[in-house]
Amino acid sequence: MGMNESEIYSLLNLSEDYVLDGFRHDHPPLVRGAEAPQSPRQTLDHIARQVAGCTRCALHRQRRQTVAGEGAVDPLVMVIGEGPGAEEDRSGRPFVGKAGQYLDRWLAAIGLDRKSNCFIGNIVKCRPPGNRDPLPEEADACLPYLKEQIDILKPKAILTVGRIATQILCGRSEGIGQLRGQELDYLGIPVVATYHPSAVLRNTDLRAAVWEDLKRLQALPVLAGSLPE
Ligand code: SF4
């Protein structure tokens, strides 16, 4: 007799070593197994439940809630930041604090929003204490979830906000001042890098650069005709 979804989920939690081994060797993700749900929304929800029970790195110890990400299942653009902050940790939703509200305004300026054509996620799904940068081992442990989300969502373009997200996703080491404006990609998906909204709230001189980056995103050939001019 086949297992139902909650039995599979329990098995996943009980078999963490096996899951880790699977990720480490790039085995097909267990979420895609014969018993797994099939629609993109169901698969994303399934990943969110895996994240909610995850103890793969030390960040699980101090989190209140995990923040798996949210948005459209067929997004034009996926926005990727580095990790949840205090308000996201409390709410379980990405980019809901002051910086998140600012990000929503950036997106709206080029015809994007998290309900209809955008998905918002992070490199790590649990809050680093004190909003410090995620450690390399924390990012490594969490990255398979993000990669799986990108694979399911198939965004036409990616907007990375901040140095950490851009470096980790694109395998680069420069600062964000050097990375923004460059032609970047993740597995063939064009990536536009810009500053993190919280950095721009601290330093409003960065606003002009962000606007340039948003216009570059809007003008990408893969988004031609999809966004207002
Ligand atoms: Fe798991 Fe990612 Fe949270 Fe670490 S940050 S415990 S890998 S969900």
Side-chain angles (χ1 to χ4, degrees), residues 51 54-60 63 66 124-126 138 141-142 145:
V51 165
C54 180
T55 56
R56 295 186 60 195
C57 83
L59 292 181
H60 80 275
R63 73 183 176 213
T66 52
V124 292
K125 317 297 192 194
C126 302
E138 294 163 351
C142 211
Y145 295 124

Side-chain angles (χ1 to χ4, degrees), residues 3 6 12 30 37 45 72 94 124 196 201 228-229:
M3 288 186 289
S6 71
L12 285 167
L30 293 182
D45 289 347
V124 292
H196 194 282
L201 285 171
E229 296 287 316

Side-chain angles (χ1 to χ4, degrees), residues 28-218:
L30 293 182
V31 73
R32 300 290 186 83
E35 311 282 352
Q38 296 301 309
S39 81
R41 173 56 70 197
Q42 286 175 315
T43 311
L44 286 169
D45 289 347
H46 198 83
I47 293 171
R49 287 193 294 276
Q50 285 183 300
V51 165
C54 180
T55 56
R56 295 186 60 195
C57 83
L59 292 181
H60 80 275
R61 295 202 187 100
Q62 294 183 55
R63 73 183 176 213
R64 293 187 191 186
Q65 297 194 63
T66 52
V67 183
E70 69 177 27
V73 289
D74 54 350
L76 293 172
V77 174
M78 184 165 182
V79 180
I80 300 176
E82 68 185 60
E87 293 187 51
E88 291 75 20
D89 181 57
R90 267 194 293 276
S91 68
R93 297 181 56 215
F95 283 93
V96 291
K98 218 169 162 188
Q101 290 161 26
Y102 194 28
L103 174 66
D104 283 340
R105 282 166 45 205
W106 295 2
L107 299 176
I110 56 168
L112 293 168
D113 70 83
R114 64 173 89 195
K115 287 206 175 86
S116 64
N117 56 12
C118 209
F119 189 98
I120 302 186
N122 280 303
I123 298 287
V124 292
K125 317 297 192 194
C126 302
R127 183 191 181 208
N131 291 346
R132 65 160 170 73
D133 294 345
L135 301 174
E137 59 268 30
E138 294 163 351
D140 283 351
C142 211
L143 211 49
Y145 295 124
L146 181 67
K147 289 182 172 178
E148 185 72 0
Q149 288 173 317
I150 297 171
D151 191 41
I152 293 159
L153 292 163
K154 299 184 179 19
K156 292 193 186 308
I158 293 173
L159 176 70
T160 51
V161 293
R163 173 181 61 87
I164 298 287
T166 311
Q167 287 179 340
I168 291 174
L169 193 71
C170 300
R172 303 290 288 257
S173 57
E174 305 99 304
I176 189 65
Q178 285 75 50
L179 288 167
R180 60 166 293 274
Q182 292 194 35
E183 285 191 15
L184 304 168
D185 80 288
Y186 169 78
L187 298 181
I189 302 171
V191 174
V192 171
T194 195
Y195 293 100
H196 194 282
S198 56
V200 188
L201 285 171
R202 287 193 302 270
N203 179 4
T204 53
D205 289 348
L206 300 175
R207 285 182 300 187
V210 170
W211 182 238
E212 271 175 28
D213 298 333
L214 292 174
K215 297 300 282 182
R216 281 187 56 239
L217 174 67
Q218 187 181 35

